Amino acid sequence: MERIGDRVDLLDRVIDAVAARGLERSTFRSLATDLGISTFPLVSTFGTKEDLLATVVQHVEKRQADLARTMLDGDVLDAKLFYEFWNWCVSNVQAMNLDLEIILHQRRSRPEDQSVPHSALGQWLELWTARYRRSGYSEPHALQKATLMTAVVWGLQLDLVITGDTSRVTAAYVQLVDQILRELDAGPADSDQAKPL
């Protein structure tokens, strides 16, 4: 009988395999081959392929939310946490690729759903907005700043996944962190208040 460890261990291994293979190309058979097991443990643990992929999506979204919360939800912003997050990104490019693929998959599978509150992007947006509000920005301005920061951080992750140019993208991220920390520490200037588009 195969020894596969517990469900959490199996899920971690499955996530690594899905990240390497891609969400759309992952089947029970291909994942079992990648993991060196039969399909039986996958079926008995996760049920259907859709259930397995839903579990992967939930786990990845939770990981992103935890990373965002660690960085943005404390009383004091700590540059060290921003750099720990980026070090995780650099060390886990395949996992970031999976994060991005999941967001695109959700968007394609629900094109009529214009909301993002339950996606990883939505969680980042909520946390950035709250952080800007705590620094004295009005609600509309906090949302505009949060949208920009969410887009830039995810854009840098996408750039890293696509180009693999760690030094260039990391230099940009370091500059961004410096700007964010100065901006949040200083609070809004009168000229910074939200302008209608």
Side-chain angles (χ1 to χ4, degrees):
M1 185 165 157
E2 297 170 303
R3 178 100 176 107
I4 59 165
D6 62 16
R7 186 178 196 277
V8 174
D9 175 59
L10 181 59
L11 179 58
D12 287 340
R13 292 173 56 204
V14 165
I15 288 171
D16 289 344
V18 171
R21 180 172 290 279
L23 201 60
E24 299 296 327
R25 293 184 316 274
S26 295
T27 64
F28 276 153
R29 187 176 310 275
S30 67
L31 292 171
T33 300
D34 293 347
L35 298 172
I37 61 175
S38 72
T39 58
F40 177 76
L42 295 174
V43 173
S44 66
T45 303
F46 299 105
T48 66
K49 176 189 172 186
E50 290 74 25
D51 292 337
L52 178 138
L53 293 179
T55 302
V56 167
V57 167
Q58 288 171 346
H59 185 80
V60 169
E61 283 186 348
K62 182 183 180 317
R63 179 182 61 213
Q64 274 290 339
D66 290 347
L67 288 168
R69 245 183 252 100
T70 299
M71 262 177 43
L72 298 170
D73 214 16
D75 290 334
V76 177
L77 286 179
D78 183 351
K80 182 178 148 209
L81 295 175
F82 282 81
Y83 296 126
E84 285 175 4
F85 163 74
W86 191 253
N87 287 336
W88 180 90
C89 291
V90 169
S91 301
N92 294 281
V93 172
Q94 276 191 327
M96 278 193 330
N97 186 44
L98 180 59
D99 292 349
L100 295 165
E101 187 178 356
I102 284 171
I103 290 169
L104 292 173
H105 173 76
Q106 289 174 326
R107 189 72 194 114
R108 282 192 307 263
S109 64
R110 294 181 300 200
E112 71 288 345
D113 185 359
Q114 297 297 316
S115 65
V116 290
H118 301 295
S119 72
L121 278 173
Q123 293 172 27
W124 278 89
L125 187 61
E126 288 172 15
L127 287 164
W128 276 116
T129 302
R131 174 51 69 182
Y132 274 99
R133 279 195 314 262
R134 285 197 304 256
S135 291
Y137 289 82
S138 66
E139 181 65 31
H141 194 200
L143 182 58
Q144 283 181 2
K145 290 285 192 178
T147 300
L148 179 61
M149 288 304 113
T150 301
V152 171
V153 170
W154 279 81
L156 288 171
Q157 291 179 62
L158 179 61
D159 190 337
L160 183 62
V161 166
I162 291 171
T163 67
D165 190 344
T166 304
S167 60
R168 178 183 59 79
V169 180
T170 297
Y173 182 79
V174 168
Q175 183 176 353
L176 175 68
V177 169
D178 182 57
Q179 176 187 334
I180 291 168
L181 295 177
R182 279 188 285 113
E183 185 175 83
L184 289 170
D185 187 49
D190 290 339
S191 62
D192 282 341
Q193 288 306 316
K195 297 170 182 67
L197 299 177

